[in-house]
Amino acid sequence: MGDIRYPLSFNQYTAKTKWTLRQAIEGCARHGVTGIAPWRDKLAECGVKTAAKLIRDAGLKVSGLCRGGMFPAADAAGRKAAIEDNLRALEEAVGIDARCLVLVCGGLPVGSKDIAGARQMVKDGIAAILPHARAAGMPLAIEPLHPMYAADRNCINTMAQANDICDELGEGVGIAVDVYHLWWDPDLKAEIERAAKTDPRRIQAYHICDWHYDTKDRLLDRGMMGDGVIDLPLIRKWVEDAGYEGYAEVEILSSRWWDADPDDVMRLCIERHRTVC
Ligand code: ZN
């Protein structure tokens, strides 16, 4: 493997069930991991101010806050509520000095078959919060999800779609490249290059894990880096060539790893990050 250019950040859902945010922060400090990515439910439990202090005192940087988004809704009131929730997420991201607010944009409103309409709602939702994000100096990072989540989680499924939205909305909107969601895309390299060419800061986050060859569960069977089929050094090279400067954020949603001792999981993440990423 080449040199590992990106420092490791620990997405706290890698230890979702066993660690609070405070414990995840302490875990990072204990193992020499310098980045963390909290989720909003855990952040709310801890309190934004307390979390900010703990993170600062531990010398950690926040590679991203998970997550805003979920814009589409069946009616105008629902869409307005989503925008208001995203504005709160922005404040929280600012409160912990996150590098970006990650957006999982949302899927179809219940009962809808109009995916084009849902995609328009996503664009409108991002456009609605963008002035606030710009004013706060908080980049938004659209995270395209694997197409298997198009119905219920995110109708933005490729880097090309995310690039299109960024092109249209301009400054302040970027992309979170998650290898789990994007590794299969034949246009991934070209779209990473496109992102870099348009705006060297467009790639706001880089998430790593692995895709099991015979993946068993749509949500909770993400692999430890090296245990699956993703050519991690290759994709890392692409984001590196695109000028990305940030963390490699390990994000493993997995019932198997959630059952393990989080300290062991973190040790293995560190080792795999060094040897196979
Ligand atoms: Zn991710």
Side-chain angles (χ1 to χ4, degrees):
M1 299 305 140
D3 57 329
I4 300 303
R5 179 166 162 187
Y6 300 121
L8 191 64
S9 173
F10 190 75
N11 183 298
Q12 85 160 123
Y13 266 22
T14 302
K16 180 183 179 184
T17 54
K18 292 202 173 161
W19 273 353
T20 62
L21 181 52
R22 180 187 290 268
Q23 287 172 306
I25 292 165
E26 288 166 358
C28 287
R30 200 158 53 238
H31 293 278
V33 170
T34 56
I36 190 158
W39 278 66
R40 289 183 68 202
D41 56 337
K42 304 277 190 182
L43 182 59
E45 279 169 18
C46 182
V48 175
K49 281 217 172 92
T50 307
K53 182 171 184 341
L54 290 170
I55 289 166
R56 226 181 10 250
D57 290 351
L60 303 181
K61 297 264 185 272
V62 177
S63 56
L65 175 64
C66 294
R67 57 182 163 61
M70 299 292 165
F71 293 106
D75 55 25
R79 291 190 288 278
K80 185 161 172 274
I83 286 166
E84 284 163 3
D85 185 54
N86 275 275
L87 296 180
R88 284 190 293 275
L90 263 177
E91 275 176 31
E92 293 161 20
V94 170
I96 56 169
D97 198 18
R99 184 184 160 96
C100 60
L101 174 63
V102 172
L103 300 180
V104 172
C105 298
L108 295 167
V110 175
S112 169
K113 297 186 182 186
D114 181 8
I115 194 163
R119 287 175 174 148
Q120 186 62 48
M121 289 179 204
V122 166
K123 219 184 305 176
D124 294 345
I126 297 173
I129 64 167
L130 184 54
H132 302 270
R134 283 179 185 149
M138 180 53 60
L140 303 171
I142 298 170
E143 179 166 0
L145 294 202
H146 191 281
M148 68 179 165
Y149 300 113
D152 61 343
R153 279 190 166 69
N154 191 356
C155 56
I156 307 304
N157 309 105
T158 64
M159 188 85 188
Q161 284 176 279
N163 267 322
D164 287 346
I165 296 175
C166 291
D167 283 351
E168 202 177 317
L169 299 181
E171 159 102 47
V173 194
I175 302 174
V177 173
D178 187 322
V179 299
Y180 182 76
H181 298 296
L182 300 176
W183 68 277
W184 56 274
D185 183 352
D187 295 327
L188 182 57
K189 179 171 187 274
E191 289 294 331
I192 288 174
E193 287 168 357
R194 173 184 162 197
K197 216 174 298 165
T198 325
D199 176 359
R201 292 165 311 164
R202 182 170 284 183
I203 298 176
Q204 284 289 339
Y206 176 53
H207 298 177
I208 56 173
C209 70
D210 216 331
W211 181 284
H212 290 138
Y213 178 78
D214 57 345
T215 190
K216 297 277 195 288
D217 187 278
R218 215 166 67 89
L219 274 181
L220 300 181
D221 190 31
R222 293 196 195 192
M224 173 66 63
M225 295 80 77
D227 286 354
V229 298
I230 302 177
D231 190 338
L232 287 158
L234 182 66
I235 300 178
R236 191 223 337 137
K237 171 95 171 45
W238 293 344
V239 296
E240 218 174 80
D241 290 347
Y244 171 69
E245 287 176 343
Y247 283 85
E249 178 183 315
V250 58
E251 183 186 35
I252 307 177
L253 280 59
S254 155
S255 40
R256 174 186 161 192
W257 292 111
W258 287 350
D259 283 344
D261 176 341
D263 279 294
D264 290 342
V265 175
M266 193 175 262
R267 264 189 290 270
L268 191 57
C269 289
I270 292 166
E271 185 198 316
R272 294 293 177 86
H273 173 242
R274 203 160 37 211
T275 52
V276 303
C277 294

